[in-house]
Amino acid sequence: MWGCVLIFVPPSPWAMIYNKRESNYQNTKKSEIENSVTTKRSFLLGMGGFLAVTGSQWCGYPGAGPLACIISAFVAGTGWRKRSSEHKRNNSVISADGVDGDGEEIEDEELPVVQVFEHAWTCLQPVLFAFIGTDLKFELLKRGDMIFLGLLVLAFGLMIRLIVTTCSVIGTGFSRKEVLFVNIAWLPKATVQAALAPVALDIARNLGTAEDIECATRLVTIAVISILLTAPVGAFGIQLFGPRLLPRSN
């Protein structure tokens, strides 16, 4: 529901621009209107996600909040993109290549909001990994069985991931080298593990027994092992095999 509201509130930048032109507001700058709309959309989307997460925890459904964030962002972005495409097709002052009458290229409406959250994620990502580090018990890493179990779970997960990745690109026209590179690029496992593992530990501390807390702590340890192994290997593989497997564009 919140994502549907954000499609129309605040109005699209092009809608505000053309309305102001019709109202003889000729001196209004297009960039100022776009920046204002981007700020409002980013604030409303972020605040809606924050309220969804905190409200779901207060209501006793902690898993509903993150799901609401994903759905609202997807619905809003899809709606912005669709409205922008319809405007490009229907407005007579915009040519087929997406350039308006003033010679300025019109970009998809969701891109500025995406850039805002990309910058926010750049700042918040170190905090996320710092939090998972505080829950790590190094004494568990000294146990050989824990490391072996972590490697076994990681190997099984990567095997399933490679199979699913290969199946997902079937029929896309990719060459074998490109399919191989997609599998290499999808090897790193970091963000999801860093976000979900502490959640399981937090739920165990609030609702579980001592045995549940111990199992959740092991889960965090395995998540850290997967991050430490796959993140650098994936980054190295992308840099090494990217120029060799991907065709060069002119």
Side-chain angles (χ1 to χ4, degrees):
M1 179 64 71
W2 186 241
C4 295
V5 173
L6 290 179
I7 297 176
F8 305 98
V9 179
S12 301
W14 50 264
M16 298 177 66
I17 292 170
Y18 287 103
N19 287 337
K20 289 182 181 295
R21 285 178 179 175
E22 295 173 359
S23 303
N24 296 324
Y25 286 97
Q26 299 291 340
N27 296 327
T28 302
K29 294 182 179 180
K30 178 180 178 181
S31 59
E32 294 179 356
I33 297 176
E34 291 179 345
N35 292 336
S36 175
V37 172
T38 299
T39 302
K40 294 176 182 178
R41 284 178 171 175
S42 302
F43 174 78
L44 291 175
L45 184 60
M47 185 57 62
F50 175 77
L51 293 177
V53 173
T54 55
S56 63
Q57 293 179 351
W58 182 75
C59 295
Y61 298 95
L67 183 61
C69 294
I70 297 174
I71 294 177
S72 61
F74 173 77
V75 172
T78 303
W80 294 334
R81 189 183 304 111
K82 183 178 180 180
R83 294 193 68 196
S84 179
S85 300
E86 291 178 352
H87 173 67
K88 291 178 182 179
R89 290 195 305 266
N90 298 333
N91 198 286
S92 59
V93 300
I94 297 179
S95 60
D97 56 356
V99 179
D100 63 7
D102 298 330
E104 297 180 356
E105 184 178 356
I106 296 181
E107 61 181 2
D108 291 335
E109 293 184 27
E110 80 277 5
L111 289 181
V113 180
V114 171
Q115 294 173 358
V116 170
F117 282 97
E118 284 180 351
H119 292 306
W121 173 241
T122 302
C123 299
L124 295 176
Q125 188 174 9
V127 179
L128 175 64
F129 288 100
F131 281 152
I132 192 176
T134 59
D135 294 326
L136 178 64
K137 289 186 177 181
F138 289 96
E139 56 268 18
L140 293 178
L141 295 176
K142 298 179 181 179
R143 298 168 51 182
D145 57 342
M146 177 58 62
I147 297 179
F148 175 76
L149 179 61
L151 294 176
L152 184 63
V153 172
L154 179 61
F156 180 76
L158 290 178
M159 182 179 63
I160 299 298
R161 191 168 191 169
L162 292 177
I163 295 175
V164 174
T165 302
T166 303
C167 294
S168 64
V169 296
I170 293 178
T172 58
F174 289 165
S175 63
R176 293 183 178 179
K177 291 183 178 181
E178 291 172 336
V179 173
L180 178 59
F181 178 78
V182 171
N183 282 276
I184 295 174
W186 281 17
L187 278 179
K189 300 171 67 67
T191 306
V192 176
Q193 285 70 26
L196 296 184
V199 174
L201 181 58
D202 185 59
I203 294 176
R205 287 172 176 172
N206 294 331
L207 304 176
T209 61
E211 183 179 358
D212 295 332
I213 296 176
E214 180 66 21
C215 293
T217 304
R218 294 180 181 180
L219 178 63
V220 172
T221 304
I222 295 176
V224 172
I225 293 176
S226 67
I227 293 172
L228 294 177
L229 291 179
T230 61
V233 171
F236 178 76
I238 292 173
Q239 294 183 355
L240 179 63
F241 294 102
R244 293 173 172 81
L245 297 178
L246 298 180
R248 296 182 180 273
S249 59
N250 296 327

